[in-house]
Amino acid sequence: MRAIVQVVKKASVISNGKSFSNIGKGFVVLLGIKDDDTKKDAEYLMGKIEKLRVFEDENSKLNLSLKDVGGSVLLISNFTLYGTTIRQNRPSFIKAGHPEFSKPLYDYAVDILSQKVNVQTGVFRTDMQIDMVADGPCTIILDSEKTI
């Protein structure tokens, strides 16, 4: 499981031409799931996201978490995080999880993170427009395989 965490001042999602969700200060998290990911992977990554200290404290040090600043998460499923262009220029998504597997694991990730912080979502398997104001910019890559 892989996540791209973007610190934002605000963000919103439009799906099928309609406003779906929005947050103020917090994270936009793009979440990629592959078929061999487990609930343990989701628990690990959501725990990292919850505790990630990337907001400035009174000394301008990146030392505060979402809870510390009252932040929210906009959690978006994104199969393209497992795209590869190793042998070509057109991405292959063969490592990305199939929707029937990924959706329940995505829902599980939303559920466990929602117990800790405010979480809004995108719409699974739709074309979405994500509007965000990046803060910093501060972007962190997390991977449950701990290889990044």
Side-chain angles (χ1 to χ4, degrees):
M1 192 172 285
R2 184 171 291 161
I4 306 298
V5 180
Q6 175 65 59
V7 179
V8 297
K9 293 184 178 192
K10 64 180 181 176
S12 61
V13 171
I14 295 173
S15 178
N16 297 317
K18 296 179 183 170
S19 179
F20 185 75
S21 57
N22 61 70
I23 63 167
K25 184 176 197 162
F27 299 151
V28 169
V29 177
L30 304 177
L31 184 66
I33 298 171
K34 54 187 191 343
D35 282 335
D36 62 349
D37 285 333
T38 65
K39 286 184 174 184
K40 193 170 187 169
D41 291 296
E43 292 161 3
Y44 171 80
L45 273 187
M46 296 308 107
K48 281 295 223 186
I49 290 165
E50 172 204 348
K51 295 176 180 101
L52 198 58
R53 295 174 18 195
V54 293
F55 295 98
E56 288 186 358
D57 64 15
E58 66 279 357
N59 298 314
S60 298
K61 301 270 187 203
L62 298 182
N63 202 27
L64 302 177
S65 70
L66 279 169
K67 281 185 179 181
D68 296 329
V69 299
S72 300
V73 174
L74 182 53
L75 188 60
I76 309 289
S77 176
N78 189 323
F79 75 93
T80 64
L81 293 184
Y82 280 103
T84 181
T85 57
I86 290 174
R87 295 188 181 162
Q88 66 273 337
N89 292 324
R90 182 175 167 259
S92 167
F93 301 107
I94 196 148
K95 290 185 179 181
H98 292 85
E100 60 277 0
F101 174 81
S102 298
K103 176 72 163 105
L105 200 51
Y106 168 74
D107 290 340
Y108 180 70
V110 170
D111 288 344
I112 59 177
L113 189 57
S114 293
Q115 294 172 22
K116 306 294 183 175
V117 297
N118 178 44
V119 176
Q120 299 294 314
T121 66
V123 182
F124 196 85
R125 288 192 83 184
T126 66
D127 181 41
M128 293 175 272
Q129 291 74 52
I130 302 165
D131 186 26
M132 65 181 171
V133 177
D135 192 6
C138 179
T139 308
I140 307 294
I141 300 171
L142 301 172
D143 198 302
S144 62
E145 292 180 356
K146 303 174 196 105
T147 58
I148 293 179

